[in-house]
Every structure is written in C-alpha cells, then in structure tokens.
Amino acid sequence: MFKKIRFQMIIVIAIVSIVIFGVLSMTIEKKLNELKIHERNFYSEITRARADELSKELQGHLNKVHMVAHSDFMESMDVESILPFLSSLLNHSDFKGMTIAQPDGQAWTTYGAHIDIRAQEQFAKIFEQNKLYAISNPFYSPYFYDDVPIITLSYAIQRENTTVGLLNAVLTTRFMETIISDIQFDSYGYAWIVDGNGRIVAHPDPEIDIIHDYTKVIKEIDVQPFTAGSGFFNYVGYNDENMLAVYSTIHNTNSWKLVISVQESQAFSQLISVMNYIDTAIIISLLSLIVFAFIYARTLTNPIVKLTEVFRRAEKGDLSVVADTTIQNELGVAGHGFNRMLDEIKNLTFVDPVTQVPNYRSYLLDADRLTREHPTKQYYVVVLSVDDFKKINSMGGYGFGNETLKQFADLLGSTLYAYELIARYFGDEMILFLHAENQELVRLRVQRLLALAQRPFKIMDIEIHLSLSCGFASHESEQEVETTIHNATLAKLKAKKLGGNIAVFFEDGIQQEIKKEQDIESELFKAIEKKELYPVYQPIVDLKTMQVSGFETLLRWNHPLYYQESIQTIITIAENNSQIIEIGRYILNEAILELKRLNQTHPDMVVALNVSALQLKDTHFITFLKNRIKVIGVNPENLCIELTESTAMDDVEVKLMDLHQIKAIGCKIAIDDFGTGYSSLAYLSRFPIDHIKIDKSFVHKMMNDEPTRQLVSSMITLAHNLKLEVVAEGVETLEQVDLLKSFGCEMIQGYYISQPKRMEDLEY
Ligand code: C2E
Ligand code: CA
Ligand code: CA
C-alpha cells in the first residue's frame, strides 16, 4: 500500500515538473523564434542591398545605351554612317554588339548582319508600347556566344518626341554572375537570379542551366515562390537540405529577383545550438528533479514499506519475520509492539497447549529447516499412538487423559538428542524427528520407547502403563517431510492392526497393502448390488448325539479378484469404513430367511450369526433385528448372535445393555473366539449368554501341547460353572473330537464335520 503512495508521490512530482518545464521551454522557444525572425531580416537586408547594387549596375549599362541613343547623330537614322560609329564604341565597353533598327523591324548589326527584329520582345515595347527603354530576359542568340545567354538593353531613338528607331546593346549574363558570386556566406549560402517568370537568369553553379525555371534549384516547396516584390520561403534543395530563400526585386528589370539561398541549419546554427543547449539543460534538470523526488519519496516511505512487508509476510504465515525497531519515530514503536504480538502468536501457533511441546505446524517447519541445515544426517519420522487411549480418558476424564499425554510427551522429549524434534501430532499421537545411522539403530531406540511407556506411570495417584502403536519411516532429503509423515502413519496403522504395542517400519509393501485395501473398499461398495456377497453355512454338531444341531452363517464374496481373500480381512476393511452395517443387515436378513426354511423341516435347528462391534454400535441394529424376526416370522430362540470376546469386553457397561436387549428379543448369545481376549470373569458371569465358542487356535494346539490342553479343559469347566454350553471351533480330527468329548464339551464345529458351504450343498 505504501509502495503505492510512494509511486503516486513520484508520479505527481514528475507531472508537475513536466508541466513547469513544458511552459518554460515553450516560452524559451517563442523567444528563440523571435530571434529567428531577426536573423531572417538580416538576410533580407543583404538581399535588398545587393539587388539595388545589381540594378545600379544595369542602370549604368542602360545609361550608356541611353547616351548613345540620344546623341544628335542617331536622330538621322543614317544606318550607313551610324554602324561604324557603334562598332568603334564596342571597343570601349562591355557590350558584345549593337543593333540599330527601324520602326518596320529592319535592323543592322555591328557584326554585319541585316535582320528582322519584329519577333523580339524589345520591338513591341519600344515601337508598340512607346516605352523609352527595355531590358530583355536572357536568351541564347544564334549570333553570339553559343553557350552564354545574352540580354539586350534597348533604347528608343527619338526625334521631336517621336520614336524613329531603336538601339540595342547586347550584354552576356556573365557580368551578373560576377556580382552574385561575390555574395557568399561561407559554404552554406549563395545568391542567384530569376526573371519574372521564374526562369533562372544567373546562378553561381555552372552546372545549372540558365533560362530553365527555378525547379532546377528547388526540389520541394510548399508555396508559390517569388510572388511578392520581396520576401522569403523555405524549400528543400537538391542536396536534400532545408534551405531558406530570401529574395528581393531588382529594379529596372522585368521583375527579376535576386535570391539568397542559405542552409537553414547553418543560417540558424548558433540559434540552434543555443536551443539545443537549453533543451539539454531542461531535460537534465527534469531528470534530476525526478530522481530527487524518487529518492526523497523512498527515504520517507521506505520504513513504512518495510513494515508493511513484514506485516504481509506475517499475515501469510511466516512468523519468523522481525520488524525493525531501530527507527527513531512512531514506526519504531509500532515495530516493537508488532514483535511482541508476534511472539505471543508464535507461542499460540507453534506450541501445543496440552503437552507444551511444539505442535505439528511447528514440526513441519523445523523438520524442513533441519533437513536443509544438516543434509548429511539420515532422519526418521516416528509416529506414536497410545493404544486404547479412550480407555484412559474413560478412566479419569479428559483432565486425566491430558495429564497422561503431557507426561508421555515429557518422557519422549527426555530421550531426544540435538537436532531432533518432538511434536504433538493429534489426539493421542505424538510425532518425532530422529536421526540415526541406520534403520536398525532407530528400531532399537523406538523399541526402547515402547518399553519405557510400558513402565508404570503415576498420574493423579493412579498407576497406568501405556501400550504404543508405532510407525516409523526414513526421510529421504529430496522428499517432502509430509510424505515421510504419511509413510510413518501408514506403518503406525499397520502396527495398530497387528494389535498394538509394536513398532512397524514403513516399507513399500505397506503402500501396496493400503492400495489393495482401497481397491477392495471401492469394489465392496458395488458388491451387494452386484449380488456378489452370499452366505455359506457350517454345521454345528451335538457331541452327545453326533447330530447337526445348527449352522453358523459365514459371509463369502464371489469377486473375480478377491474371492480368495480371507473374509476376515474383507470384514476388517468393511468395519473401517462402516460398510459392515449394510453388509451385516444383508447377511442377517439372509440368515433369518434360511432359518425360516430350515425350521419348516427341522424346527429345533439353530442358525448362528456373527455380529461385529461396529454393527452392535449401530443404534438401529436391535430394531432391525427385531423387525426381521417378526416380519419373516421365525422363533427368536433359534437365532444365535455371536459376538467375539473382545467385542463383548470393550466398553462392557454398554455391551451389557446391548446383550440384555438382544436377550429380551429372545435370541441366544454366544461369545466367539473365547480365550483370545481378556475376559473379566466378573463381567462374564453378569452377561446373559448361552454359549462360549473356544477359539480354533486352542483346539489345534491342544493335541501337542499339555498346557493348552489344560487351558481348554479349564475353559470348559469354567463355562459349565457359569451354566454355559461350549462349542469347540476348528475341529478337524477324530482325536480332537474324542478329547473334547472327554472334557465334556457340548458341541463341535469344523472341517471334521464339514466345510462351510451353501445350504443346498449341505447334508443334515
Ligand atoms: P469365526 O466367527 O470364528 O468363524 C469361524 C471361522 O473358522 C470361519 O472362517 C471358518 O471358515 C473357519 N473354520 C471353520 N472350521 C474350520 C476348521 O476346521 N479349520 C480351520 N482352519 N478353520 C475353520 P471364515 O469364514 O474365514 O471367517 C472368518 C471370520 O470372519 C469369522 O470368524 C468371523 O469372525 C468373521 N465373519 C465371517 N462371516 C461374517 C459375517 O457374516 N459377519 C461378521 N460380522 N463377521 C463374519
Ligand atoms: Ca463365529
Ligand atoms: Ca470363532
């Protein structure tokens, strides 16, 4: 903005100066033009004086002719005696010849010719117009000087006031050339003569043809020249120079004009140099004024411009700017205030208020700076997330959670070396920027962090220990820090998926895994519509009777690419993006329809259905279940809802309510994958459940492993104590069947009986 003001100031000053100097130079120009007129008048004076001189010269010659013509001797017009007299006169004059003529045009010349002069112009003037004398225009005479034009000076011979004859004297034009060549102005000016018709009478340049008109001299002209008795005009000469012509009439002639031609540049050379000098002076002063204005405006506005620049950069988010506080005026004070405010903002912008460690924004800037300043170090981004942080929050509220995070941050911070960073990423996640010589060394450090977090913390008198999911990735200097963070985050997600309390290094494989997940996700969206999803059923057999007592419903996906993908993986993906809700409803509906068909022939057979944690969280799940049972019309007691142990034990108070609601509908409930989670016995006894399903991993292991065998036996005893029936999963061999029978297990399920199949392919 202030740059604009500075610019405007300069423009205003420049315009004002230009106007002042414009007026000034116009005035000077006017004065100089007046001088020009004076200069021209000077040339006019010369021309007039020289023209007068010429006319006097002519007059002199004319006087001679006059004297002869008026001698008494001439009155007789006795040609015989006059001619020798005239010839004798020629020796003492410039005349080249003389002629005496009678009124009838008969004439005799001193060079012995007898001619008729009626066609000559002087004949008409003297005899017809009764003029006393006449000067002819120059012409080439057949009798004289072939290459030199001549003029004739004629006088009337009178007897008692009557013209009885005519005397002609012939002069070459040379005498005029002598006069005009005297008129010279160095190299730039010369004189010449034209007659009343504009034909050249005399010219100093022998190349110029006499008797031709003035266009031999004047190449270009805007006006009709020689119109007045005297005057001036400008023209372009044959050398393409701008010429000034000043002319004046030569009296006693047929309106001959003496012309003085001068090169304008030369004529006004002094004037022009004065004008150039003034112009240069004006331009220099003008430029100096503008430069001065610019410098002045700069010194005045520079501090303001700098301060605005600082404001602007800060506004754009560059908080590293510092305002100049050395200026000794209000601007310095403003700079001080701004810097203080910026410190405040920096604190608010770059520090996480909960943990008092830098925030993510600060991390990005600092990591970027570190990589630039120490390019030889190998850096690693480490993302750490607290497993089950919700649990910590629910233990003691948000204050407790915040305090935990703060201590966690302090703990991480205490392990850092120079040129390393810590920041709060978001939520329960912290992010580190470490350097190490190789990946194994970072892994060791991260492992140590995991171990440190496992040690008990004391927060508000409560002892807790933290389990961390950690992802780390090496930062290549040519890549953006954010890319490395993204990679480390993907590795952390993998760590979470693997169950937490683990550190995962980012490798390209993770990226492909993620890509595949995304592909599966988008394919899954179309799966229901394309009828690619369908249920299969696996029989559950009563060990006492060895008869099928029911079926577990399991999902399958008939997809050209992913049909072999474990359905567990697909379900995890569907759970991550809530597609499981819709898929779950579809499979629930299918299972109840199947149960309806089944009960028509086998009224006591049960159909079990897997329900995931996310499905259970859906507030409409219970309503939907109730509605389907009622609309399709099945006995709810023949429907068993299977919940995994970890689903049931997460947020138990809520789960208790959910389970009671399911129970209220009349459905049976089974705890799936029993033994893999951490069941609290206290809760287990309060849950309204009917079966536990021992996870297949125990069934597989128990044949070769005594402790596992013991464990399976205890689980069955425990279940019986709680009045629950036991289903053993993954039973594949007769030996397993026998052992389970010996433990008192009620039911078995597994490949020993049948693979999960479409209902029409099953025998029961
Ligand atoms: P689950 O509920 O524990 O289901 C039993 C799993 O054991 C099934 O795997 C089944 O095919 C497999 N199985 C049965 N007998 C044997 C055996 O003798 N040996 C071995 N090795 N495996 C056996 P499946 O079908 O791949 O399902 C995996 C998991 O996916 C299920 O574990 C269940 O948690 C989930 N699931 C399957 N269908 C659904 C569904 O419709 N909804 C929900 N929410 N989860 C489902
Ligand atoms: Ca199951
Ligand atoms: Ca299971």
Side-chain angles (χ1 to χ4, degrees):
M1 181 177 81
F2 285 99
K3 266 193 185 153
K4 234 190 246 166
I5 289 179
R6 177 201 288 174
F7 183 68
Q8 285 166 356
M9 249 170 101
I10 293 167
I11 290 291
V12 168
I13 292 175
I15 289 173
V16 170
S17 336
I18 288 170
V19 168
I20 291 173
F21 281 110
V23 171
L24 204 67
S25 64
M26 262 162 61
T27 320
I28 291 168
E29 188 92 17
K30 207 177 142 209
K31 281 278 169 227
L32 286 173
N33 275 335
E34 280 169 19
L35 281 177
K36 234 178 178 176
I37 293 166
H38 280 299
E39 192 82 7
R40 210 162 40 221
N41 289 344
F42 160 72
Y43 286 111
S44 299
E45 283 306 318
I46 294 175
T47 316
R48 191 169 307 132
R50 288 309 166 111
D52 286 351
E53 216 169 282
L54 249 172
S55 86
K56 267 189 204 123
E57 182 91 359
L58 267 174
Q59 192 66 51
H61 289 300
L62 210 53
N63 283 346
K64 277 183 198 154
V65 183
H66 181 204
M67 263 162 55
V68 177
H70 281 108
S71 61
D72 295 341
F73 176 69
M74 295 300 283
E75 277 183 17
S76 66
M77 280 303 287
D78 177 5
V79 178
E80 294 291 305
S81 54
I82 289 170
L83 273 179
F85 165 66
L86 294 180
S87 293
S88 70
L89 283 178
L90 289 182
N91 299 328
H92 310 287
S93 75
D94 298 331
F95 299 131
K96 300 298 174 207
M98 284 188 162
T99 303
I100 177 159
Q102 290 177 350
D104 59 359
Q106 295 302 305
W108 293 265
T109 69
T110 53
Y111 43 88
H114 178 190
I115 52 175
D116 188 336
I117 65 157
R118 274 178 300 182
Q120 293 183 9
E121 53 177 295
Q122 67 271 32
F123 177 83
K125 282 182 181 158
I126 303 290
F127 291 118
E128 289 166 11
Q129 296 159 27
N130 268 328
K131 292 205 168 155
L132 274 180
Y133 65 94
I135 298 173
S136 77
N137 285 326
F139 62 96
Y140 287 101
S141 159
Y143 310 106
F144 295 102
Y145 312 100
D146 276 354
D147 54 341
V148 184
I150 56 164
I151 54 168
T152 58
L153 309 179
S154 311
Y155 242 98
I157 302 168
Q158 288 188 321
R159 194 187 303 148
E160 286 154 13
N161 289 333
T162 312
T163 302
V164 292
L166 176 159
L167 181 65
N168 247 358
V170 177
L171 266 179
T172 66
T173 53
R174 282 238 167 84
F175 80 97
M176 289 186 289
E177 280 161 17
T178 327
I179 291 176
I180 57 170
S181 51
D182 279 351
I183 310 172
Q184 273 190 5
F185 306 90
D186 299 328
S187 60
Y188 62 87
Y190 61 90
W192 49 297
I193 300 168
V194 290
D195 70 16
N197 300 321
R199 283 181 311 193
I200 297 165
V201 173
H203 196 282
D205 183 354
E207 298 284 301
I208 301 289
D209 293 334
I210 306 299
I211 310 185
H212 285 97
D213 68 11
Y214 60 81
T215 55
K216 286 282 161 193
V217 176
I218 294 174
K219 187 176 167 188
E220 257 176 57
I221 190 166
D222 295 337
V223 296
Q224 190 68 37
F226 313 118
T227 44
S230 63
F232 71 91
F233 56 86
N234 299 90
Y235 69 93
V236 179
Y238 272 87
N239 295 333
D240 286 316
E241 282 155 329
N242 289 322
M243 304 294 286
L244 167 71
V246 182
Y247 63 91
S248 192
T249 302
I250 303 168
H251 301 291
N252 299 323
T253 62
N254 298 332
S255 307
W256 293 6
K257 307 279 190 313
L258 176 72
V259 193
I260 288 180
S261 284
V262 281
Q263 281 176 25
E264 249 187 278
S265 59
Q266 295 294 326
F268 303 122
S269 64
Q270 258 178 320
L271 267 181
I272 287 170
S273 75
V274 169
M275 262 151 85
N276 285 345
Y277 177 78
I278 291 173
D279 282 351
T280 317
I282 286 176
I283 288 169
I284 288 174
S285 325
L286 197 67
L287 287 180
S288 333
L289 197 74
I290 290 172
V291 168
F292 168 76
F294 180 74
I295 293 170
Y296 181 69
R298 253 184 97 96
T299 44
L300 209 70
T301 55
N302 238 11
I304 306 179
V305 169
K306 273 193 197 149
L307 201 61
T308 355
E309 178 63 25
V310 165
F311 289 171
R312 239 200 33 237
R313 277 173 56 196
E315 190 184 52
K316 280 194 177 157
D318 179 0
L319 299 185
S320 66
V321 292
V322 178
D324 186 359
T325 53
T326 58
I327 311 160
Q328 296 297 325
N329 58 23
E330 286 78 358
L331 287 178
V333 179
H336 256 300
F338 175 76
N339 286 346
R340 267 204 307 277
M341 185 180 77
L342 211 62
D343 283 344
E344 237 353 86
I345 292 173
K346 260 187 240 174
N347 208 31
L348 289 174
T349 325
F350 289 141
V351 177
D352 173 57
V354 171
T355 58
Q356 291 301 312
V357 297
N359 62 12
Y360 181 58
R361 191 186 161 96
S362 157
Y363 178 94
L364 284 182
L365 291 172
D366 289 345
D368 206 46
R369 184 176 46 75
L370 278 180
T371 7
R372 263 186 289 110
E373 286 174 6
H374 308 280
T376 50
K377 287 198 183 331
Q378 176 59 55
Y379 286 102
Y380 293 86
V381 169
V382 182
V383 174
L384 300 138
S385 161
V386 179
D387 295 330
D388 273 334
F389 188 69
K390 269 184 292 173
K391 243 184 216 161
I392 295 170
N393 265 338
S394 60
M395 269 167 86
Y398 279 106
F400 185 80
N402 283 353
E403 187 54 30
T404 308
L405 280 178
K406 181 161 173 21
Q407 290 211 23
F408 173 43
D410 288 348
L411 176 77
L412 293 177
S414 68
T415 68
L416 298 187
Y417 299 120
Y419 312 121
E420 295 193 330
L421 303 172
I422 178 174
R424 175 150 182 218
Y425 197 11
F426 45 72
D428 56 62
E429 295 190 4
M430 304 293 288
I431 185 165
L432 308 179
F433 199 59
L434 307 182
H435 54 81
E437 268 170 26
N438 57 52
Q439 186 195 319
E440 275 324 298
L441 290 174
V442 202
R443 190 183 291 280
L444 284 175
R445 281 186 69 183
V446 172
Q447 228 93 59
R448 220 183 101 228
L449 287 178
L450 257 60
L452 269 176
Q454 284 285 352
R455 288 206 222 149
F457 279 79
K458 204 162 199 176
I459 291 164
M460 297 173 172
D461 286 334
I462 302 176
E463 252 188 21
I464 59 159
H465 58 88
L466 297 178
S467 161
L468 304 178
S469 290
C470 171
F472 61 109
S474 75
H475 176 60
E476 307 311 328
S477 51
E478 70 277 3
Q479 88 192 358
E480 298 275 321
V481 177
E482 274 154 309
T483 311
T484 317
I485 295 173
H486 179 70
N487 293 345
T489 308
L490 294 181
K492 181 219 71 188
L493 285 174
K494 177 91 184 276
K496 274 252 154 81
K497 256 186 224 161
L498 292 173
N501 196 25
I502 193 174
V504 173
F505 183 71
F506 171 81
E507 288 146 321
D508 286 345
I510 290 188
Q511 198 124 32
Q512 280 153 18
E513 243 172 68
I514 303 281
K515 166 91 175 67
K516 186 175 170 187
E517 265 181 33
Q518 285 167 346
D519 291 347
I520 289 180
E521 211 180 290
S522 60
E523 284 299 288
L524 206 51
F525 268 112
K526 302 173 244 166
I528 294 182
E529 206 176 298
K530 289 165 101 176
K531 296 203 167 32
E532 286 171 353
L533 295 175
Y534 62 96
V536 289
Y537 298 90
Q538 189 176 33
I540 299 167
V541 164
D542 190 323
L543 270 179
K544 273 184 219 127
T545 61
M546 286 309 269
Q547 294 290 309
V548 174
S549 64
F551 299 89
E552 178 178 358
T553 316
L554 292 162
L555 180 67
R556 289 295 177 266
W557 185 10
N558 182 21
H559 184 274
L561 268 179
Y562 304 123
Y563 65 98
Q564 276 183 325
E565 205 61 50
S566 106
I567 203 72
Q568 185 65 69
T569 312
I570 308 286
I571 283 177
T572 309
I573 294 171
E575 278 188 318
N576 285 341
N577 62 32
S578 303
Q579 283 175 310
I580 191 67
I581 307 273
E582 200 189 343
I583 295 172
R585 287 183 177 205
Y586 163 75
I587 209 80
L588 184 142
N589 198 52
E590 290 293 303
I592 295 177
L593 284 171
E594 198 57 64
L595 177 65
K596 168 103 178 170
R597 279 194 289 274
L598 193 64
N599 283 167
Q600 276 161 6
T601 50
H602 303 79
D604 297 324
M605 276 202 189
V606 173
V607 165
L609 186 72
N610 294 290
V611 171
S612 78
L614 208 84
Q615 280 175 277
L616 202 58
K617 262 198 198 133
D618 172 22
T619 47
H620 304 298
F621 174 75
I622 303 287
T623 329
F624 185 76
L625 176 68
K626 215 191 285 183
N627 171 281
R628 289 292 91 189
I629 290 170
K630 198 176 154 200
V631 170
I632 297 170
V634 289
N635 178 4
E637 280 178 31
N638 288 347
L639 187 68
C640 178
I641 302 295
E642 291 188 11
L643 297 169
T644 63
E645 188 180 18
S646 45
T647 303
M649 291 302 156
D650 184 44
D651 230 345
V652 266
E653 294 298 335
V654 177
K655 292 293 151 57
L656 254 175
M657 277 166 32
D658 291 339
L659 295 189
H660 277 289
Q661 278 183 296
I662 295 171
K663 203 68 214 168
I665 298 170
C667 298
K668 290 210 165 71
I669 297 173
I671 298 294
D672 207 350
D673 300 348
F674 192 77
T676 56
Y678 306 88
S679 282
S680 152
L681 270 183
Y683 282 119
L684 207 55
S685 60
R686 283 174 63 197
F687 277 166
I689 47 182
D690 303 277
H691 314 290
I692 60 161
K693 296 184 81 172
I694 296 178
D695 191 65
K696 55 179 174 280
S697 59
F698 299 104
V699 175
H700 293 165
K701 220 176 160 192
M702 69 176 184
M703 296 315 291
N704 309 313
D705 187 62
E706 179 57 30
T708 310
R709 206 177 329 183
Q710 296 269 313
L711 187 63
V712 172
S713 167
S714 322
M715 283 196 279
I716 295 171
T717 313
L718 171 77
H720 288 165
N721 288 341
L722 293 168
K723 306 270 183 297
L724 306 174
E725 285 186 323
V726 180
V727 183
E729 286 186 317
V731 178
E732 292 177 356
T733 63
L734 182 59
E735 289 75 35
Q736 290 166 340
V737 178
D738 290 340
L739 188 59
L740 288 164
K741 238 184 210 168
S742 74
F743 290 154
C745 178
E746 278 81 13
M747 283 167 273
I748 54 162
Q749 179 186 350
Y751 298 166
Y752 177 73
I753 309 294
S754 168
Q755 295 251 351
K757 288 177 183 169
R758 291 181 188 263
M759 197 51 107
E760 55 268 33
D761 299 333
L762 284 168
E763 288 170 19
Y764 45 90

